Every structure is written in C-alpha cells, then in structure tokens.
C-alpha cells in the first residue's frame, strides 16, 4: 500500500502551470477545488496533441485521422470502464457532465413512472440532483420524498428506511455532499433500495476526485460524474449504467451517431453506447478525461486521499483555534471540504477580502439551498483541498482569514 | 452639491489610499455608518436578491428631490451602497436618471459592479433609476 511519504507535493505542483500565477499581486492559493480542479500539463498536452495532430469526426470515417481519433476516444472509454470497474465498456456513456447524466436518466424514467410512484432524494443534494427529479415528478405524477439530514450534516438513515416501500421506484443521492463534504453510506442506501425493487442513481461529482469507486461492488444502477473535478477539462463527464438499464431505457436525444437505420417510417437505434450519444461527441474532452484518470492513477488515489485527510485535519484544527468560527458538517467520515462561517460576519465579505489576498474560496449557498435553510444561514465559506495544496497554503489561508476577520469586526 | 461634484469628492478621497487594505477598510467603515433603512421597509417588497448578498432599498421624494435609504446583509456591499447613496440621494429625478457610475472604476471597485458578481448592486442601481423615473413621471 502506498503511504503519504510517496506523495511528492512539490514535484506534483510543477505539473500545474496555473499554480504558478499571481492573483491581485499575491501567489494564488487555490482552495475552490470542489467547484473545479486544476489541470496538469500532462492533460493539457493531450488536448494540444489532439487538435495539433488527429482532430477528426469519429466512428464513421474511413480515413486515417478519423480512425486514430476513434481509437483514442474508445480507448478513453475503456480506461474509464477499468477505473470504475464497470463490467462492460459500453456501460460507460460519455456525457457533458454530471448534470447531463442525471437529466438523461430522469428523462429515461419519465414514461416509466405513474401517479402514486415515489422518488426519493436526499436533503444533502446539489440543486442539479433535486430539480430534474422535481421536473420528473411533475411530468409523471410521482411523489418526491426527502431523506432528512441531521444537525451533524449526515443523512438520517432510520428515516430513509421508513421512506422506502414498494411504491419507491428511484433513489437519488450524492456520494459526497458538495456543500459539507459528508461521505454518504451509498452501499447501504443502494442495498436498502434494492430490497424494495427501487433503482439508485449516485451523483459522484465530489467522490471521484478523492477515492476509488467500484460500481459493481456498490451495485449502483447509475453513477455519474464530471471530468473537470478530477483534473480533466470541463464539458465532459460520464454516466455509468448497468447494461440491463441501458437496453431498457429510451434514448435521450435523437440525431446522428445514435441510429442503426433511418427511414421516414421508422428508425432503429444503434447499439450501446451509441444509442445514448447522439451527435458529434466531445472527442477531445473524452480523450483528455482518460488522460486525467491516468494522471490520478499514476499518483494513486489511496495516497491522494491520505494526504488530503492530513490537510483537512490540519486546516480544521487551525480553523477551530479561531474565535467565532463555526464549521458545518460532520467531524469525521468526510472529504477535504470545510464549510464554515465566522460569527456576525457575512461569508461574501470574507470571500471578497480573501480574494484580494490571492486566496480563492467559494462563498454562498453552493447550489444547496435546502442545506442552508436547514442551518438557517445565508451561505457558508467553503475551502476545499486537493492533493496539490500544501500546509503552507493552509497557513496563508488562516492568516488571510485572521486579517479579514480583523478588518470586518 | 451636484452629482458630479460629489463623485469628484469621492474620487479625491479614495486617491489618498495607496493600498487595497485602506480602501476596503474605509468602505467597511462606511458600511457601518450607513443609515439603516427603516425596519418597515426591510421587507420582501424592497429586497433585491443577489445570489450572494441581499440588498434592500427604499425611496421617498421631498421638495422635488429623491431620498434613498438602503441596507445589505454583507458589510462590503453595504459600503458600496453608502457610496452610491451619497451620489444619488437628495438629487432631482432627472439628474439621477442621467447619472453614470463610471467613477466606481476610478476608485478601484469596478469588480463589485460586475453583473456576474451576484451581490445585488447592479440591480440596485437599476432600481434607484426606476424610482427616479417613477418620481419624474409624478413631477410631469
């Protein structure tokens, strides 16, 4: 097993050109990783190489460039399949990102649900995992139920058990809360849902950068994520779905790529995965997504995760030593996200002053208004760490925060 | 004082600061001194929702001049509101309608008036002008 000492952070930082830049005259301290991660040169090189050497439309071309681009794109799909331990590569559908994957499934279920059916979401969801299901329920007449959260920022599993019944058709839950960093017990959630015959979609946007995911071991029906949270580019992501579901669900969009035969009387759909990939895909993005996974695996997600936990513990301890700081979410079993407030100070003011000092954090409701309503706060300040952050940066953040508090008090 | 004279004064005051800390400290202190909006106007009818901070605005007209009071839940937003109110308040509606906010660039606070900032300030300026237009109509 890899150990923390194997993570050479100074060497890793050299892979990320953006970390060298200054913001407002200060060296950038980037602590908004839960919103988007930065891109290493290795991935940037793949993007440049694609457009410099083999940019082409894929799958139907007989010429060499098209073949090369198709091979690279399909190889990326296989890398993703292997990384998530999907049974078959066509169970990996390229999407534009997590939100697209969620909408694809919500749309696929719209004709399968009827009035009286029940759909469960968790109180810890991002708006992208609430709104599509509300829309689905409005269309189908199904009822939306919510797994409540506790004061500690965890899901109330006993309440979840009571919500499940034979009318439950779908359960949607994030693996990790973007607002609080809570790691949800998804294996247990899936297991309990399957006992009543419900399918489960897991939003992995926040988990994928921090841990190894085995979709078969989890027995997830659907698992979605975005490449830009895991050192890849924006505009590309994946939907994993069990083959049986992909065969059963209708296509999401019509167009080129997704057909087998077209006449004006009838169209037959293409085989998997193309049935769900209408139009020219984000070829470069898919290939770069594969490169990002290679990059993460070369460092090792276990080493990454232990190092990030160390950073999290250090930052939490330092923050707790400041007067008036309130941290939201669980004390343990969370990823490297700290959501907090300073008594009597608006998060927007703190974020504005930290930015003047070159420190990037996120402030606001983090697209999770129900969580903010639960705590009765307008928002939080969220610092989120990746394996390329350092203890020195935590120190800069803490001293910047002290200065901001002094100015605002 | 005319709007142009007040703007020139503000630009003058800010020119004394040679670092961002002093500029922001001044704004924060201004935010603390802003006359609060009367509680009866701090309601949803008077709210301008930014994604990040909330702003409340109320207007009255006396002797053909519009007086504004305002508040925000974020102190830096409030400081900028104090500056804007100093410029726009107690002026004739026509002058308010015609006034621009270019001086905000000159005092180094441009980023706060960006439409993507989501602090409610851009909408607030629109609201001030809407009030002025409404009162102008009354005068006509």
């Amino acid at each position: 097993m890899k150990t923390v000492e194997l993570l050479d952070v100074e060497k890793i930082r050299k892979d990320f050109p953006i970390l060298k830049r200054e913001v407002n005259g200060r060296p950038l301290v980037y602590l908004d990783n839960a919103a988007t991660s930065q891109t290493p040169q290795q991935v940037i090189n793949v993007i440049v190489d694609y457009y410099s050497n083999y940019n082409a439309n894929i799958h139907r071309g007989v010429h060499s460039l098209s073949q090369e681009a198709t091979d690279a794109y399909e190889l990326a799909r296989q890398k993703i399949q292997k990384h998530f331990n999907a049974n078959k590569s066509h169970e990996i559908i390229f999407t534009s990102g997590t939100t697209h994957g969620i909408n694809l499934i919500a749309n696929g279920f719209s004709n399968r649900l009827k009035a009286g059916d029940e759909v469960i979401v968790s109180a810890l969801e991002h708006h992208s995992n609430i709104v599509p299901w509300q829309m689905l329920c409005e269309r189908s007449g199904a009822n939306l139920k919510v797994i409540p959260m506790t004061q500690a920022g965890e899901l109330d599993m006993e309440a979840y058990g009571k919500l499940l019944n034979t009318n439950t058709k779908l359960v949607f839950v994030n693996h990790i809360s973007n607002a609080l960093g809570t790691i949800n017990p998804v294996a247990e959630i899936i297991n309990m849902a399957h006992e009543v015959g419900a399918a489960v979609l897991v939003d992995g946007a926040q988990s994928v950068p921090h841990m190894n995911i085995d979709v078969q071991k989890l027995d997830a029906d659907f698992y979605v994520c975005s490449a830009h949270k895991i050192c890849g580019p924006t505009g590309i992501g994946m939907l994993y779905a069990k083959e049986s579901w992909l065969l059963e669900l209708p296509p999401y969009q019509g167009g080129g790529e997704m057909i087998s035969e077209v006449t004006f009387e009838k169209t037959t759909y293409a085989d998997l995965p193309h049935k769900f990939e209408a139009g020219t895909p984000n070829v470069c993005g898919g290939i770069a997504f594969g490169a990002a996974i290679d990059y993460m695996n070369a460092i090792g997600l276990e080493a990454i995760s232990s190092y990030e936990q160390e950073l999290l513990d250090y930052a939490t301890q330092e923050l707790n030593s400041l007067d008036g700081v309130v941290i939201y979410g669980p004390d343990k079993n969370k990823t490297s996200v700290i959501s907090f407030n300073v008594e009597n100070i608006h998060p927007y003011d703190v974020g504005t002053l930290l930015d003047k000092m070159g420190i990037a954090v996120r402030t606001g409701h983090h697209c999770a208004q129900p969580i903010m309503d639960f705590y009765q706060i307008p928002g939080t300040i969220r610092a989120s760490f990746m394996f390329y952050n350092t203890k020195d940066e935590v120190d800069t953040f803490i001293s910047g925060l002290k200065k901001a508090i002094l100015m605002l008090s | 004082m005319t709007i142009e004279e007040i703007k020139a004064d503000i630009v003058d005051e800010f020119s004394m600061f040679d670092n961002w800390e002093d500029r922001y400290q001044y704004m924060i202190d201004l935010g603390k001194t802003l006359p609060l909006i009367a509680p009866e106007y701090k309601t949803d009818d008077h709210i301008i929702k930014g994604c990040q901070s909330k702003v409340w605005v109320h207007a009255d007209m006396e002797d053909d001049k519009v007086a504004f009071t305002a508040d925000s839940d974020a102190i830096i937003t409030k400081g900028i509101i104090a500056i804007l109110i100093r410029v726009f308040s107690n002026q004739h509606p026509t002058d308010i309608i015609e006034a621009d906010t270019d001086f905000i660039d000159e005092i180094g606070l441009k980023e706060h008036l960006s439409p993507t900032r989501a602090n409610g300030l851009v909408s607030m300026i629109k609201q001030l002008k809407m009030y002025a237009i409404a009162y102008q109509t009354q005068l006509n």
Side-chain angles (χ1 to χ4, degrees):
Chain A
M1 190 175 142
K2 284 174 177 159
T3 64
V4 175
E5 290 76 38
L6 286 178
L7 211 66
D8 185 348
V9 179
E10 282 316 308
K11 184 169 165 281
I12 285 169
R13 287 180 70 81
K14 292 196 176 88
D15 291 339
F16 292 82
I18 208 167
L19 298 180
K20 294 186 196 94
R21 72 160 283 184
E22 291 191 343
V23 168
N24 290 320
R26 311 286 184 91
L28 167 67
V29 174
Y30 185 77
L31 303 180
D32 193 19
N33 294 290
T36 203
S37 57
Q38 295 303 342
T39 319
Q41 192 62 52
Q42 288 86 333
V43 174
I44 297 170
N45 288 347
V46 167
I47 295 168
V48 172
D49 182 43
Y50 172 79
Y51 282 112
S52 309
N53 293 310
Y54 61 103
N55 175 36
N57 209 332
I58 55 171
H59 288 144
R60 287 170 311 279
V62 292
H63 60 81
S64 300
L65 288 192
S66 178
Q67 286 293 335
E68 285 174 30
T70 305
D71 289 349
Y73 190 67
E74 291 307 323
L75 179 66
R77 195 191 304 275
Q78 286 164 22
K79 281 178 190 173
I80 295 165
Q81 174 209 351
K82 197 168 157 236
H83 182 74
F84 292 100
N85 194 31
N87 190 26
K88 292 174 177 152
S89 71
H90 63 239
E91 289 176 321
I92 304 296
I93 308 295
F94 280 116
T95 61
S96 66
T98 305
T99 301
H100 179 196
I102 293 169
N103 277 283
L104 193 155
I105 297 305
N107 187 72
F109 270 86
S110 59
N111 290 329
R112 299 176 62 88
L113 294 182
K114 56 183 193 308
D117 283 345
E118 291 177 3
V119 169
I120 297 178
V121 296
S122 94
L124 291 175
E125 295 311 300
H126 187 279
H127 295 164
S128 67
N129 210 13
I130 300 173
V131 182
W133 312 121
Q134 281 175 335
M135 289 163 65
L136 171 63
C137 287
E138 275 169 26
R139 279 199 301 268
S140 62
N143 298 316
L144 194 67
K145 306 274 177 179
V146 181
I147 313 169
M149 61 184 276
T150 65
Q151 198 63 32
E154 289 164 342
L155 290 179
D156 182 341
M157 290 297 285
E158 205 185 312
Y160 171 57
K162 287 181 187 152
L163 286 178
L164 287 167
N165 63 70
T166 48
N167 292 326
T168 311
K169 294 293 178 276
L170 284 164
V171 176
F172 306 106
V173 65
N174 53 25
H175 200 153
I176 291 173
S177 153
N178 74 304
L180 302 176
T182 317
I183 303 174
N184 291 315
V186 285
E188 195 183 338
I189 289 170
I190 292 168
N191 198 14
M192 287 166 74
H194 285 173
E195 277 174 20
V196 297
V200 182
L201 178 142
V202 180
D203 170 352
Q206 298 294 333
S207 53
V208 164
H210 305 293
M211 57 175 74
N212 281 311
I213 310 289
D214 184 330
V215 288
Q216 291 192 75
K217 201 167 155 199
L218 284 176
D219 199 21
D221 297 279
F222 310 103
Y223 202 99
V224 289
C225 71
S226 299
H228 72 94
K229 309 268 195 203
I230 174 171
C231 299
T234 53
I236 186 84
M238 71 105 196
L239 156 71
Y240 158 79
K242 285 180 181 167
E243 183 184 44
S244 53
W245 278 117
L246 290 175
L247 290 170
E248 209 166 308
L249 292 175
Y252 178 44
Q253 291 176 319
E257 289 270 2
M258 52 77 74
I259 51 89
S260 168
E261 236 177 303
V262 177
T263 66
F264 281 107
E265 287 71 41
K266 187 176 168 57
T267 292
T268 50
Y269 302 125
D271 291 338
L272 298 173
H274 310 294
K275 174 182 166 189
F276 292 97
E277 293 183 353
T280 299
N282 182 352
V283 182
C284 179
I287 297 167
F289 187 3
I293 284 185
D294 285 344
Y295 180 82
M296 298 294 279
N297 282 331
I299 298 170
L301 274 156
E302 279 171 16
I304 284 173
S305 158
S306 337
Y307 175 73
E308 288 172 345
Q309 282 296 324
E310 237 183 56
L311 275 184
L312 173 69
D313 291 345
Y314 180 62
T316 305
Q317 172 201 316
E318 292 296 298
L319 267 178
N320 275 330
S321 73
L322 303 182
D323 283 342
V325 168
V326 184
I327 297 177
Y328 303 94
D331 299 331
K332 49 182 198 270
N333 205 24
K334 66 183 277 193
T335 47
S336 47
V337 169
I338 308 180
S339 218
F340 69 99
N341 269 325
V342 185
E343 255 169 22
N344 301 320
I345 296 181
H346 197 284
Y348 175 79
D349 290 323
V350 176
T352 301
L353 295 183
L354 287 176
D355 176 60
K356 298 306 288 181
M357 298 180 246
I359 303 161
V361 294
R362 186 145 293 250
T363 62
H365 53 58
H366 317 297
C367 295
Q369 276 177 350
I371 299 179
M372 303 303 134
D373 292 346
F374 177 85
Y375 288 119
Q376 295 184 314
I377 48 175
T380 70
I381 306 151
R382 185 187 70 185
S384 50
F385 307 92
M386 282 284 267
F387 57 95
Y388 45 70
N389 289 123
T390 63
K391 281 192 177 173
D392 281 351
E393 287 184 310
V394 173
D395 291 339
T396 309
F397 161 59
I398 296 291
S399 65
L401 182 63
K402 280 184 189 161
K403 182 171 173 168
I405 294 172
L406 197 66
M407 286 178 75
L408 292 163
S409 299
Chain B
M1 281 173 92
T2 66
I3 285 184
E4 288 311 312
E5 283 166 350
I6 298 169
K7 281 195 213 168
D9 269 6
I10 293 171
V11 171
D12 214 38
E13 283 164 26
F14 271 82
S15 70
M16 292 185 298
F17 305 127
D18 51 12
N19 60 46
W20 73 267
E21 283 95 337
D22 291 347
R23 212 161 58 232
Y24 273 73
Q25 194 64 65
Y26 181 65
M27 246 182 355
I28 291 162
D29 294 342
L30 277 179
K32 288 177 184 161
T33 60
L34 179 73
L36 294 177
I37 197 167
E40 66 261 36
Y41 299 128
K42 207 169 166 179
T43 60
D44 280 355
D45 293 345
H46 294 82
I47 207 168
I48 297 167
K49 275 188 186 163
C51 194
Q52 298 263 351
S53 56
K54 291 178 191 162
V55 173
W56 294 266
V57 182
H58 176 68
D60 267 320
M61 189 160 71
E62 221 174 282
D63 302 331
D64 295 351
K65 288 185 173 176
V66 187
F68 295 110
T69 52
D71 200 356
S72 172
D73 54 351
I75 195 93
I76 293 174
T77 306
K78 213 164 150 183
I80 296 169
I81 291 173
I83 296 168
L84 291 170
I85 286 206
R86 194 170 143 199
V87 172
F88 286 102
S89 201
N90 299 311
Q91 300 291 341
H92 192 277
T94 319
D95 296 332
I96 296 170
I97 295 163
E98 285 171 5
D100 64 50
T101 53
D102 290 356
F103 75 103
I104 292 286
D105 292 13
E106 277 183 65
I107 60 176
L109 299 175
K110 187 183 171 185
E111 72 251 35
H112 294 280
L113 291 195
S114 148
T116 57
R117 188 88 186 178
N119 55 11
L121 282 173
V122 172
S123 309
M124 178 194 149
I125 293 168
K126 266 189 211 150
Q127 193 63 41
L128 298 184
K129 298 214 170 205
M130 291 298 282
Y131 275 122
I133 291 167
Y135 283 121
Q136 176 69 45
T137 323
Q138 279 184 21
L139 289 177
N140 293 340

